[in-house]
């Protein structure tokens, strides 16, 4: 899923690729998309973008003298699982291009497309950020830090830190791989209570005798959790994205969590998969009664059957009738189930007798 750095890189792409382009005409929406229509049409307009956390705002601004006369329109995009922006030729649109803005004027016709393979992405008219989302961890670090530390009494911080980091009301822009990297770098147990981890940051104060450069150096060398929520996304942006060349050597948390046999992922009650997690033994319930099964019937004196595939077939002979004590020792049902067991054994013996070849008086099989 695209997270804060990917949305930030998408806004950079739109501003750089479309900064010198002039768009015109109607905005087209694919027929399969369930998102709203974009009622915007202008003979000449420009496009710019701004990212905030896991949202991106797209501005459509008509140029002076363009007709029909319209006010600027803003759209807010949330990328879902696979959303992205691509600039493609107007006659060779990429697949799953659900919203298209075409260029105008001389030169080859291009289209800025919002591409979403799984169609979980969404756009809304009006340009308002989603209410309830906290400050952006990338662009509004000071407000983000103050917002978290001021609301530690919220019930969100009663949950484990690995779950609280995904709450966009406080960590707007943090997702699964960023959460794994932050916890891995600080060696924080993922299921530690979030309030316990964050309350220690309220008392963290640098010595007043340090100079400004020394304070900056100390924060860069020993960042806390909230500082890493800003620094790690910033590193991903500088690398060019989580899948850019060289990014895997820097982002070691998700890779260690998937490749280390001493760690495993765990799905909590929220349905989100958590990485990385320490391996925990599976709890064994006590006083659990053994599973009761019917005894296996085999010929008397014959070895135990090796299995259905490749095993030795039982020889035809007299069936060994388990006694009452044997049934109880083998876990067979008691009481009223014994008549049914006798009936089942008689049917089994009758079937074996019917399947066996008849013998002549001399004991040789008949041809």
């Amino acid at each position: 899923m695209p997270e804060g750095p990917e949305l930030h890189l998408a806004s950079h792409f739109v501003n750089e690729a479309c900064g010198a382009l002039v768009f015109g005409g109607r905005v087209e929406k694919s027929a399969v998309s369930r998102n709203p229509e974009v009622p915007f049409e202008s003979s000449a307009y420009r496009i710019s973008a701004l990212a905030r956390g896991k949202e991106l705002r797209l501005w459509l601004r008509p140029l002076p003298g363009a007709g029909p006369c319209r006010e600027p329109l803003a759209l807010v995009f949330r990328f879902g699982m696979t959303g992205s922006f691509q600039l493609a030729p107007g006659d060779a649109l990429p697949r799953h291009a659900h919203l298209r803005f075409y260029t105008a004027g001389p030169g080859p016709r291009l289209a800025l497309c919002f591409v979403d393979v799984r169609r979980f992405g969404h756009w809304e008219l009006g340009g308002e950020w989603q209410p309830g989302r906290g400050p952006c961890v990338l662009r509004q670090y000071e407000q983000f830090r103050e917002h978290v530390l001021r609301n530690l009494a919220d019930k969100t911080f009663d949950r484990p830190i690995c779950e609280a980091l995904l709450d966009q009301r406080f960590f707007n822009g943090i997702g699964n791989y960023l959460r794994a990297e932050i916890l891995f770098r600080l060696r924080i147990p993922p299921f530690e209570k979030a309030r316990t981890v964050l309350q220690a940051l309220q008392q963290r104060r640098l010595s007043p005798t340090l100079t400004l450069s020394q304070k900056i150096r100390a924060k860069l060398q020993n960042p806390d959790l909230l500082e890493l929520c800003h620094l790690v996304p910033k590193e991903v942006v500088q690398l060019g994205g989580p899948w850019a060349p060289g990014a895997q050597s820097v982002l070691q948390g998700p890779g260690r969590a998937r490749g280390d046999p001493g760690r495993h992922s765990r799905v909590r009650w929220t349905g989100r998969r958590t990485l990385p997690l320490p391996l925990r033994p599976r709890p064994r319930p006590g006083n659990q009664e053994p599973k009761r099964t019917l005894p296996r019937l085999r010929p008397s004196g014959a070895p135990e059957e090796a299995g259905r595939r490749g095993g030795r077939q039982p020889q035809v002979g007299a069936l060994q009738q388990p006694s009452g004590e044997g049934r109880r020792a083998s876990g067979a049902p008691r009481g009223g189930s014994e008549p049914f067991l006798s009936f089942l054994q008689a049917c089994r013996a009758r079937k074996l007798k019917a399947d066996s070849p008849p013998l002549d008086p001399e004991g040789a099989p008949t041809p």
Side-chain angles (χ1 to χ4, degrees):
M1 174 183 291
E3 302 179 13
E6 290 90 313
L7 272 291
H8 197 75
L9 289 170
S11 67
H12 275 290
F13 167 76
V14 171
N15 292 331
E16 292 179 3
C18 304
L21 298 178
V22 177
F23 294 82
R26 296 177 58 253
V27 179
E28 292 184 359
K29 183 181 79 72
S30 65
V32 297
S33 177
R34 297 182 180 180
N35 287 309
E37 295 281 351
V38 180
F40 183 87
E41 182 177 1
S42 177
S43 60
Y45 65 94
R46 294 189 184 275
I47 296 178
S48 61
L50 176 67
R52 179 180 180 268
K54 287 191 176 184
E55 295 179 302
L56 183 144
R57 177 188 287 162
L58 207 68
W59 279 101
L60 312 180
R61 293 186 172 92
L63 296 178
C69 182
R70 297 192 60 90
E71 295 293 327
L73 178 66
L75 306 172
V76 171
F77 288 82
R78 287 182 285 277
F79 282 15
M81 293 289 292
T82 56
S84 64
F85 277 101
Q86 297 181 23
L87 189 64
D91 55 353
L93 298 176
R95 295 184 61 186
H96 310 288
H98 297 300
L99 198 64
R100 303 178 285 268
F101 309 87
Y102 292 96
T103 58
R109 195 185 189 196
L110 302 176
L112 177 67
C113 306
F114 178 68
V115 181
D116 188 9
V117 176
R118 301 188 68 178
R119 294 188 227 169
F120 290 161
H122 188 72
W123 63 79
E124 293 180 355
L125 306 177
E128 297 294 332
W129 303 116
Q130 187 177 16
R133 286 183 178 264
C136 178
V137 296
L138 264 170
R139 298 178 49 250
Q140 301 169 311
Y141 168 68
E142 294 298 336
Q143 297 93 314
F144 152 71
R145 186 182 185 92
E146 181 184 358
H147 180 61
V148 172
L149 296 179
R150 188 177 62 246
N151 292 279
L152 288 183
D154 191 90
K155 63 181 181 180
T156 300
F157 300 103
D158 293 331
R159 296 155 57 186
I161 185 63
C162 63
E163 295 179 5
L165 282 173
L166 295 181
D167 195 324
Q168 300 301 299
R169 295 177 301 164
F170 301 101
F171 300 91
N172 188 13
I174 299 296
N176 204 10
Y177 81 87
L178 291 176
R179 180 240 335 247
E181 180 67 21
I182 292 166
L183 296 180
F184 175 79
R185 291 191 185 187
L186 295 176
R187 301 299 192 269
I188 294 177
F191 292 103
E192 187 75 21
K193 191 175 181 179
R195 187 176 293 108
T196 304
V197 176
L198 295 170
Q199 276 181 342
L201 306 184
Q202 291 180 325
Q203 287 78 30
R204 186 187 180 191
R205 296 289 186 273
L206 296 176
S207 174
T209 60
L210 297 178
T211 63
L212 179 59
S213 60
Q214 290 174 336
K215 291 181 180 180
I216 295 175
R217 188 181 303 110
K219 287 188 175 184
L220 292 177
Q221 293 176 352
N222 300 295
D224 59 28
L225 186 140
L226 296 180
E227 289 169 349
L228 280 184
C229 288
H230 170 71
L231 295 176
V232 173
K234 191 175 180 180
E235 289 181 17
V236 177
V237 172
Q238 293 172 352
L239 292 168
W243 307 114
Q248 298 302 309
S249 60
V250 177
L251 302 176
Q252 301 181 16
R256 294 282 183 89
R258 295 187 180 95
D260 189 353
R263 295 176 179 268
H264 75 295
S265 62
R266 179 177 176 184
V267 178
R268 299 287 288 177
W269 62 271
T270 56
R272 301 294 298 274
R273 187 167 294 276
T274 301
L275 296 171
L277 298 179
L279 185 62
R280 290 184 176 180
R282 181 177 298 176
R284 297 182 179 179
N287 301 327
Q288 184 177 8
E289 295 184 0
K291 185 179 180 181
R292 294 181 175 181
T293 57
L294 292 174
R296 300 178 63 184
L297 302 178
R298 60 186 179 88
S300 60
E304 188 72 22
E305 190 177 353
R308 293 185 177 181
R309 295 185 179 180
R312 182 179 178 181
Q313 297 296 328
Q315 300 178 359
V316 179
L319 291 174
Q320 183 179 2
Q321 188 76 4
S323 62
E325 295 296 331
R327 293 192 202 101
R328 294 185 179 90
S330 62
R334 300 182 181 181
S337 299
E338 290 186 1
F340 172 73
L341 180 60
S342 302
F343 172 75
L344 183 65
Q345 292 169 349
C347 293
R348 181 88 178 266
R350 200 177 301 118
K351 184 177 184 301
L352 289 175
K353 185 177 179 180
D355 294 341
S356 61
L359 299 178
D360 61 4
E362 290 76 18
T366 58

